[in-house]
Amino acid sequence: MVEETVSAALTLKDIAREAGVSLATVDRVLHHRPGVRPDTVRRVQEIIARNAFQPHVAAAELARGRARRFAFVMPTGANPFMQQIEAYLREMSGWLAARRLSVELVNTDVFDPAVLAASLEALSGNYDGIAVVALDHPGVRAAINDLVDAGTKVVTLVSDVPSSRRHHYVGIDNIAAGRTAGALVGRLVGQKSGKIGIIAGSQGLRDHAERIFGFNQVMASEFSHLDVLPLLEGRDDDDRSEQLISRLLGKHPDIIGLYNVGAGTQGVAKALTEAGREKQVVFIAHDLTAMTRRLLLQGALDAAISQNPGHEARAAVRVLLSLARNEPILSEQENIRIDILMRDNLP
Amino acid sequence: MVEETVSAALTLKDIAREAGVSLATVDRVLHHRPGVRPDTVRRVQEIIARNAFQPHVAAAELARGRARRFAFVMPTGANPFMQQIEAYLREMSGWLAARRLSVELVNTDVFDPAVLAASLEALSGNYDGIAVVALDHPGVRAAINDLVDAGTKVVTLVSDVPSSRRHHYVGIDNIAAGRTAGALVGRLVGQKSGKIGIIAGSQGLRDHAERIFGFNQVMASEFSHLDVLPLLEGRDDDDRSEQLISRLLGKHPDIIGLYNVGAGTQGVAKALTEAGREKQVVFIAHDLTAMTRRLLLQGALDAAISQNPGHEARAAVRVLLSLARNEPILSEQENIRIDILMRDNLP
DNA sequence: GGTGTTTTGAGGTACGCAACTCATTTTGAG
DNA sequence: CTCAAAATGAGTTGCGTACCTCAAAACACC
């Protein structure tokens, strides 16, 4: 009925005694320091393993006494999603301070590869770990690899550079996110046939391009009766998006679905409501903001596909910390989910 | 460009020096020990606040030197969702051991209020904290309150007893989950009219009852053209559920939607496919298991509404730990989301 | 057997805080 | 002013680990 899950409470001293060696030797084995005969190493490791010995993290942390410094390289500008991540990082300040960790925000133009690469180079050597919202570009890739070579732990955030040697990616699979958007549009329009509009910030952004790819994949293979209109580029701007969508709605009275890949959702929604067609058109967008929340509650937006910014902020910090300490990463915990948010499951 | 987020590294000694008092007095203030004049308390607290001083958790943990014992009271039986929570708890064993925490699993018949209450009483005094999948019943409520009065921290898990004085609830809002299910059924059936079947484990279970309530709420207010059939009780059993649904499908050829509130999804799916109607009927169920994953990929299940068992396991442990240490709880982190899982956003 | 090298032991210090004791100073009431 | 009570200072100990030094022991090689 009661299942014990080990209470251990062994210390290094116990291990030393059981192995018949001194504390120093156990320490050498534990930290892979030289000067121990191979079979002694084996014997000690075996005892450590048999007893499932785990160093007391608090004691280790205290003894190590090192304050870790991390930097988060985030885009300048008013992207609400990024601002939410930054806000959660600030909210963590107490948690961080209590662990003698510091996180510094570095805002830069992540869309200019040269600027981003230069920003990364400038950080080299000053931090134990760096999280970066990265553009996938050869210059950026090289900058990341340089950091890694210099011993800095690097995590890509939200947007990945898979070809680099970054240690980890914290973010969603954007192709899957696009597929999810496609499936939602296709399913929610019901039995109707008609046209589907799609607007993105820019096709040059890797995450947008991937979402578009996933979206088109699903539309082509499963909803081929729906006619996906050519992509519009709203540059993540409300006004521009509104204009483009207004024109689109005017030109195509038979639009039954809209997918906004990036920001500018407020503009799209405004165009929809001003045309008086928010009830007839299925509208799917990304990210949970005050705006998209309101639109969901009003019914103007049918679903928001989102990644939890708080989770991403915490996961990035935890991953950097685990990497810095050479501890294993709990992948299940750090895996970011693609959330489908509708009116009734808003957090 | 670079925004510093405090690196502090202050210690108690620094606070004492700045306040012009001794370490002992700072310690008294920090731990609300008696014997300090009110205005001295105020002065010290002000200095602590001004410097945003945070005791080094590792040092505090080490000095306190207490191993915390927690118990998780979980249902006996083969409920896959509960088994996943237990699996994640076991997976955390390394993490727990490194922090000198122990988590013991106690399996009991949580559906029998007397048995559950007795199990809880039996644990009294032996644990710093208890997480319990609780039945909402006066006897259970009393047992929880007794534990709380005895100084044990109590967290309800998955199923709440809001009328008790439990310290925290880790789980989803089941009314909202039911509403979400209703909205999904209503939206996914499209323009069609017809009947909607609904099957639950038992109306006596609070979480099931709440989901049913939320579901009916949405169906009545927004999809009144759909005819919700009387509730079936499948007792979370595959075979029984299959029989009931088979009979239902036979009796109503115009069923266009099905909602399974509890377990037994495999049985429902089997009935659907054997009737050859899995493509015509919108089917919504709960929880992500190997089974529901397969059904989603096959298209037999249209969406699974789930709560992340790994997140719940970790959140419960973290909340218990924070409560035991009298630390604040990061509500945003511990808040469990209602996940909508479809084929393309499966984790 | 002697030499030099490698391996091991013994021990210390420091990390920052909790928790405690006991002596001393300050305060307030009478 | 006196005296007890309250407030405060000064100090100690221990938590478990990391990291370091130095000496002693074991070993390998010729």
Side-chain angles (χ1 to χ4, degrees):
Chain A
M1 184 166 190
V2 174
E3 178 184 335
E4 197 87 12
T5 310
V6 212
S7 57
L10 284 184
T11 71
L12 279 182
K13 221 183 293 183
D14 301 316
I15 299 296
R17 192 175 338 107
E18 189 168 339
V21 298
S22 72
L23 258 178
T25 299
V26 177
D27 180 69
R28 289 179 184 116
V29 171
L30 208 57
H31 299 95
H32 309 101
R33 288 190 241 274
V36 186
R37 232 177 314 151
D39 60 312
T40 308
V41 172
R42 233 171 294 124
R43 187 156 46 95
V44 173
Q45 278 178 338
E46 205 232 324
I47 298 213
I48 288 176
R50 181 164 61 234
N51 294 65
F53 170 76
Q54 297 267 103
H56 191 318
V57 282
E61 195 64 8
L62 186 59
R64 200 174 287 119
R66 276 195 26 221
R68 310 276 184 181
R69 289 185 72 194
F70 300 134
F72 273 63
V73 180
M74 309 282 297
T76 45
N79 183 323
F81 178 70
M82 298 298 171
Q83 288 179 334
Q84 286 179 57
I85 292 184
E86 295 184 14
Y88 283 115
L89 286 174
R90 291 205 192 82
E91 236 173 62
M92 288 178 77
S93 66
W95 189 92
L96 292 166
R99 285 155 185 79
R100 299 304 183 262
L101 302 175
S102 80
V103 167
E104 292 165 32
L105 290 177
V106 178
N107 288 298
T108 193
D109 182 359
V110 304
F111 297 120
D112 182 330
V115 172
L116 175 54
S119 292
L120 289 176
E121 308 278 6
L123 298 176
S124 181
N126 299 318
Y127 296 92
D128 298 290
I130 293 178
V132 53
V133 178
L135 188 72
D136 195 2
H137 178 278
V140 176
R141 185 188 321 152
I144 291 178
N145 287 342
D146 286 349
L147 286 171
V148 172
D149 289 335
T152 307
K153 307 299 180 184
V154 179
V155 165
T156 48
L157 186 62
V158 181
S159 169
D160 193 17
V161 186
S163 59
S164 72
R165 296 204 305 282
R166 88 282 186 282
H167 298 89
H168 204 89
Y169 166 57
V170 172
I172 60 171
D173 174 347
N174 280 300
I175 295 181
R179 291 182 57 89
T180 304
L184 280 170
V185 169
R187 295 295 311 262
L188 292 181
V189 296
Q191 284 73 41
K192 287 188 290 192
S193 280
K195 292 177 179 150
I196 309 293
I198 170 169
I199 178 167
S202 156
Q203 290 198 72
L205 298 172
R206 185 187 181 92
D207 50 349
H208 287 202
E210 289 182 345
R211 289 175 186 173
I212 295 163
F213 176 77
F215 183 82
N216 286 330
Q217 223 180 27
V218 167
M219 296 308 287
S221 69
E222 291 178 50
F223 304 103
S224 49
H225 62 286
L226 297 175
D227 179 15
V228 180
L229 295 169
L231 178 81
L232 301 175
E233 294 205 353
R235 296 190 197 147
D236 286 350
D237 181 78
D238 283 325
D239 292 337
R240 185 179 158 93
S241 298
E242 182 187 347
Q243 286 173 15
L244 288 170
I245 296 298
S246 278
R247 206 178 316 149
L248 192 77
L249 289 171
K251 208 155 86 180
H252 303 282
D254 52 347
I255 282 186
I256 56 174
L258 268 181
Y259 173 38
N260 182 18
V261 179
T265 297
Q266 182 165 20
V268 177
K270 200 169 168 206
L272 261 177
T273 46
E274 289 195 346
R277 286 162 67 182
E278 75 274 18
K279 297 290 175 203
Q280 295 105 57
V281 176
V282 169
F283 180 26
I284 308 290
H286 279 268
D287 297 339
L288 181 64
T289 63
M291 168 56 50
T292 54
R293 170 185 293 274
R294 197 176 327 127
L295 293 173
L296 280 170
L297 290 171
Q298 288 168 355
L301 183 61
D302 294 278
I305 296 169
S306 92
Q307 41 192 332
N308 187 328
H311 189 190
E312 297 206 340
R314 289 186 298 270
V317 171
R318 279 192 305 248
V319 168
L320 282 175
L321 188 55
S322 295
L323 288 169
R325 291 182 181 164
N326 292 315
E327 287 173 357
I329 294 167
L330 300 175
S331 61
E332 199 274 337
Q333 174 169 205
E334 313 307 358
N335 187 25
I336 310 295
R337 295 207 173 184
I338 300 169
D339 295 331
I340 299 175
L341 297 175
M342 299 178 71
R343 196 198 52 197
D344 294 297
N345 71 329
L346 282 173
Chain B
M1 184 162 188
V2 175
E3 179 185 332
E4 197 85 12
T5 311
V6 213
S7 55
L10 285 183
T11 72
L12 278 182
K13 218 183 293 182
D14 301 316
I15 299 296
R17 190 172 341 107
E18 188 168 339
V21 298
S22 71
L23 260 178
T25 300
V26 177
D27 180 70
R28 289 179 184 113
V29 171
L30 210 55
H31 300 94
H32 309 101
R33 290 188 240 274
V36 185
R37 233 179 314 152
D39 59 315
T40 308
V41 172
R42 231 172 296 123
R43 188 156 45 93
V44 173
Q45 279 177 337
E46 204 233 323
I47 298 214
I48 288 177
R50 182 165 59 231
N51 294 66
F53 169 76
Q54 297 266 103
H56 191 318
V57 282
E61 195 63 11
L62 186 60
R64 202 175 285 117
R66 276 191 33 217
R68 311 275 183 182
R69 289 185 73 193
F70 300 135
F72 273 63
V73 181
M74 309 281 299
T76 45
N79 182 323
F81 178 71
M82 297 299 172
Q83 288 179 334
Q84 287 179 57
I85 292 183
E86 295 184 12
Y88 282 116
L89 285 174
R90 291 204 192 85
E91 236 173 64
M92 288 179 75
S93 66
W95 188 93
L96 293 165
R99 285 158 186 77
R100 300 302 183 264
L101 302 174
S102 80
V103 166
E104 292 164 33
L105 290 178
V106 179
N107 288 298
T108 192
D109 182 0
V110 305
F111 296 119
D112 182 330
V115 171
L116 175 56
S119 293
L120 289 175
E121 308 278 7
L123 298 177
S124 182
N126 298 318
Y127 296 92
D128 298 291
I130 293 176
V132 54
V133 178
L135 188 74
D136 195 1
H137 178 278
V140 175
R141 185 189 320 154
I144 289 177
N145 287 341
D146 286 349
L147 285 172
V148 171
D149 289 336
T152 307
K153 306 299 179 183
V154 179
V155 165
T156 48
L157 186 62
V158 182
S159 169
D160 194 18
V161 187
S163 60
S164 72
R165 295 204 305 283
R166 89 280 187 281
H167 298 89
H168 205 87
Y169 165 57
V170 172
I172 60 171
D173 174 347
N174 280 301
I175 295 181
R179 291 183 56 90
T180 304
L184 280 170
V185 169
R187 294 297 309 264
L188 292 181
V189 297
Q191 284 75 40
K192 289 187 289 194
S193 280
K195 291 175 180 156
I196 309 293
I198 170 169
I199 177 168
S202 156
Q203 288 198 75
L205 298 172
R206 186 187 180 92
D207 50 348
H208 287 201
E210 287 181 346
R211 290 175 186 174
I212 296 163
F213 176 76
F215 183 82
N216 286 329
Q217 223 181 27
V218 167
M219 296 307 288
S221 69
E222 291 178 48
F223 305 103
S224 49
H225 60 288
L226 298 175
D227 180 16
V228 179
L229 296 169
L231 179 81
L232 302 175
E233 295 205 355
R235 295 187 200 149
D236 287 347
D237 181 78
D238 282 326
D239 293 337
R240 185 178 158 93
S241 297
E242 182 187 348
Q243 285 173 17
L244 288 170
I245 296 298
S246 278
R247 204 177 318 149
L248 192 76
L249 289 171
K251 208 155 85 179
H252 303 282
D254 53 345
I255 282 185
I256 56 173
L258 268 181
Y259 173 37
N260 182 18
V261 179
T265 297
Q266 182 164 18
V268 177
K270 199 169 169 205
L272 261 177
T273 46
E274 288 194 349
R277 286 161 69 180
E278 76 273 18
K279 297 290 174 200
Q280 296 105 57
V281 176
V282 168
F283 180 27
I284 308 289
H286 279 268
D287 298 340
L288 180 64
T289 63
M291 168 56 50
T292 54
R293 171 185 290 276
R294 197 174 327 128
L295 293 173
L296 279 170
L297 290 172
Q298 289 168 356
L301 183 61
D302 294 278
I305 295 168
S306 92
Q307 42 191 331
N308 186 327
H311 190 189
E312 297 205 340
R314 288 186 298 272
V317 170
R318 278 192 305 249
V319 167
L320 282 176
L321 187 55
S322 295
L323 287 168
R325 290 181 183 165
N326 292 314
E327 285 173 358
I329 293 167
L330 300 175
S331 60
E332 199 273 338
Q333 175 169 205
E334 313 308 357
N335 188 25
I336 310 295
R337 294 206 174 184
I338 300 170
D339 294 331
I340 299 176
L341 296 176
M342 300 177 70
R343 195 199 51 195
D344 294 298
N345 71 329
L346 282 174

